[in-house]
Amino acid sequence: MTNRAHWSGRLAFVLAAAGSAVGLGNMWKFPYITGTNGGGAFVLIYLLCIAVVGIPIFIAELYIGQQGQKNAVEAFEVVHKNRTPWRGIGAVGILSAVLILSFYSVVGGWVLDFEFRSIIGEFMMESDDKIKATLGSLFENSHRQLFWHLIFMGLAVGVVIGGVKNGLERWNKILMPALITILVGLFFYSTSLDGFGRSMGFLFSFNWENLTAAGVLEAVGHAFFTLSLGMGAIITYGSYLQKRTELARTAMMVAFLDTAIALIAGAVIFSIVFTYGFEAGSGPSLMFETLPMLFVKLTGGFWVSIVFFLLVAVAALTSAVSLLEVIVAYWEEKHNMKRWKATLLWGLIIWAVGVLCVLSISGDSPGGIDFFGIFDMLTSQYFLPIGGLLISLFFGWVLGPRAVEHVVGKEAQWAAQGLLWTSRVLAPLAVAIAVGNKIINS
Ligand code: PHE
């Protein structure tokens, strides 16, 4: 066997995979795109996609990584054959990782900035209007954004240099449970707010008239984004598993955890929206406008805000680390470069691309191009879903029944057939319809 680093056990792996999946996608992106897409019907499509498309592809990626014991490109060659064209999925995945991390780290920087403001007690001293406008004023201040963006990238680089056991594992084990605890606490508090009932109605009543073709694709794309699918992160994390570790239940656990966290975050944020008269469709600033408002009204809110933004920062960091790991694992193995060198090299490149994203937020980007928005849209709505579609086809048709049997065992025939045909037909078809429908309708 190889002398590759491995996770110390199944729990460590579940937490690491959950660390990758749970991040800004859950706390920041899910609530805001649910808001801009009108709520319930969007949520339903998203939930269906997690179950029908997300879980099977999660299993497929884990399998490819675990059996390949290699990075997101070369794993395809091990499980199929040398120079297989399917390795192109991994190559596009690496490009996606670069693009996603470049805007993700900017939002990570906003979270750090809010953590700093919490620590110095800024929110406690401001009027409601001022609190609402905090992110807007940060948007205009490119230097301040650049500062926190640099810190965030530096932290991600630091963890990845530490490697699988010392870097990735150690943090996830402590911080994930802490995040869940505080989120559940906030949820119970939000049930006492006047807007809680409307929040539930907004999230869970199926108002189809609000849903557009673009909204459907956003929901499908978000299912990939939030589970870290379609670009090799789960292949890479799977490659640090021992070859015998069970996969199917692990995938379901991570998907369940990730979805639960997104829904709880959504419930809390929309309770604040409907209690204090915010705009549900206000876009990327939603989380940053609403939560500080809750914290200033809360007894002990000063402390809650410090802990909360710290944990969101950590959740973002563990996801950012998994993005960087995709690239570093590939570069390290392919070009025989030392881990620390590969990490610094790519950290620097992504930081530079991220600067373009910051400048496009502050309105100073070259040619006025919205790099932030373009990278986000391109990756979540096209690269990840199409990458996932291809992975699903690869798993179902090329690897086929043998791989499926490895995952579900010999006894469970119905589960095997279910997984086989979901990956062969159902999941690819669902993605193809969503992407095709959007293209036709735009
Ligand atoms: N899943 C992460 C989140 O929800 C983002 C991510 C996407 C991480 C793709 C890795 C790969 O925040």
Side-chain angles (χ1 to χ4, degrees), residues 20-21 23-26 104 225-226 228 231 233 319 322-323:
S20 169
L24 296 169
N26 307 62
Y104 203 87
F225 186 87
T226 193
S228 308
M231 44 71 67
S319 301
S322 74
L323 285 157

Side-chain angles (χ1 to χ4, degrees), residues 76-91:
F76 284 94
E77 304 192 281
V78 179
V79 296
H80 188 212
K81 59 180 187 225
N82 237 346
R83 310 204 63 75
T84 171
W86 295 96
R87 76 188 193 287
I89 301 171

Side-chain angles (χ1 to χ4, degrees), residues 5-6 34 38 43 57 100 107 126 207 282 305 322 371:
H6 285 93
T34 299
V43 175
I57 296 178
I100 295 175
V107 185
E126 301 285 12
N207 39 352
S282 72
S305 70
S322 74
F371 292 100

Side-chain angles (χ1 to χ4, degrees), residues 153-176:
M153 272 312 291
L155 290 170
V157 164
V159 178
V160 173
I161 288 180
V164 168
K165 272 213 180 118
N166 298 323
L168 304 180
E169 219 182 278
R170 209 165 50 194
W171 290 99
N172 284 321
K173 255 191 191 157
I174 315 169
L175 297 158
M176 278 296 294

Side-chain angles (χ1 to χ4, degrees), residues 92-102 231 323-324 326-327 350:
V92 178
I94 290 186
L95 175 64
S96 301
V98 173
L99 296 179
I100 295 175
L101 188 49
S102 73
M231 44 71 67
L323 285 157
L324 190 53
V326 174
I327 309 162
I350 293 163

Side-chain angles (χ1 to χ4, degrees), residues 122 254 296 337 349 359:
E122 184 183 307
V254 174
V296 293
M337 192 185 269
I349 294 173
L359 295 179

Side-chain angles (χ1 to χ4, degrees), residues 40-348:
F42 176 88
V43 175
L44 183 66
I45 303 269
Y46 156 79
L47 291 176
L48 278 175
C49 281
I50 295 284
V52 176
V53 182
I55 291 175
I57 296 178
F58 205 104
I59 293 174
E61 285 201 29
L62 282 181
Y63 178 84
I64 295 166
Q66 182 193 39
Q67 298 306 308
Q69 295 284 307
K70 276 272 189 183
N71 60 73
V73 178
E74 293 174 301
F76 284 94
E77 304 192 281
V78 179
V79 296
H80 188 212
K81 59 180 187 225
N82 237 346
R83 310 204 63 75
T84 171
W86 295 96
R87 76 188 193 287
I89 301 171
V92 178
I94 290 186
L95 175 64
S96 301
V98 173
L99 296 179
I100 295 175
L101 188 49
S102 73
F103 73 83
Y104 203 87
S105 53
V106 175
V107 185
W110 302 348
V111 177
L112 290 181
D113 182 70
F114 272 57
E115 172 67 0
F116 176 74
R117 290 174 199 263
S118 302
I119 293 173
I120 62 171
E122 184 183 307
F123 297 126
M124 300 298 144
M125 299 178 300
E126 301 285 12
S127 64
D128 287 5
D129 286 342
K130 264 265 180 80
I131 291 175
K132 233 173 164 168
T134 306
L135 190 68
S137 72
L138 178 63
F139 279 3
E140 284 160 21
N141 188 341
S142 60
H143 290 126
R144 188 162 175 157
Q145 278 193 77
L146 286 170
F147 172 74
W148 290 114
H149 168 245
L150 179 70
I151 304 274
F152 187 85
M153 272 312 291
L155 290 170
V157 164
V159 178
V160 173
I161 288 180
V164 168
K165 272 213 180 118
N166 298 323
L168 304 180
E169 219 182 278
R170 209 165 50 194
W171 290 99
N172 284 321
K173 255 191 191 157
I174 315 169
L175 297 158
M176 278 296 294
L179 177 68
I180 296 169
T181 312
I182 189 155
L183 206 56
V184 170
L186 286 178
F187 174 77
F188 281 116
Y189 179 79
S190 74
T191 57
S192 71
L193 293 175
D194 296 338
F196 180 75
R198 275 187 69 194
S199 164
M200 286 298 158
F202 183 73
L203 286 171
F204 299 112
S205 58
F206 308 124
N207 39 352
W208 292 106
E209 66 286 352
N210 291 340
L211 200 65
T212 58
V216 172
L217 182 59
E218 247 187 291
V220 174
H222 187 65
F224 284 92
F225 186 87
T226 193
L227 291 179
S228 308
L229 293 177
M231 44 71 67
I234 301 303
I235 297 180
T236 307
Y237 273 22
S239 77
Y240 304 128
L241 279 172
Q242 305 288 354
K243 272 199 164 179
R244 286 175 196 284
T245 312
E246 187 280 337
L247 302 180
R249 261 182 306 147
T250 305
M252 286 189 265
M253 257 157 73
V254 174
F256 175 80
L257 202 67
D258 185 80
T259 310
I261 291 181
L263 291 175
I264 296 174
V268 173
I269 287 177
F270 287 112
S271 299
I272 305 169
V273 164
F274 294 120
T275 305
Y276 299 108
F278 283 94
E279 186 64 57
S282 72
S285 55
L286 188 66
M287 174 185 101
F288 296 92
E289 286 172 348
T290 48
L291 285 168
M293 196 67 112
L294 180 66
F295 296 147
V296 293
K297 311 238 151 49
L298 217 64
T299 8
F302 171 72
W303 297 105
V304 179
S305 70
I306 292 177
V307 178
F308 179 81
F309 283 115
L310 178 69
L311 292 173
V312 176
V314 171
L317 190 63
T318 53
S319 301
V321 157
S322 74
L323 285 157
L324 190 53
E325 180 66 23
V326 174
I327 309 162
V328 168
Y330 169 72
W331 209 257
E332 189 187 12
E333 284 177 342
K334 179 81 187 177
H335 299 279
N336 238 327
M337 192 185 269
K338 289 232 165 57
R339 171 167 274 264
W340 69 268
K341 271 194 195 160
T343 312
L344 275 183
L345 171 69
W346 282 98
L348 206 65

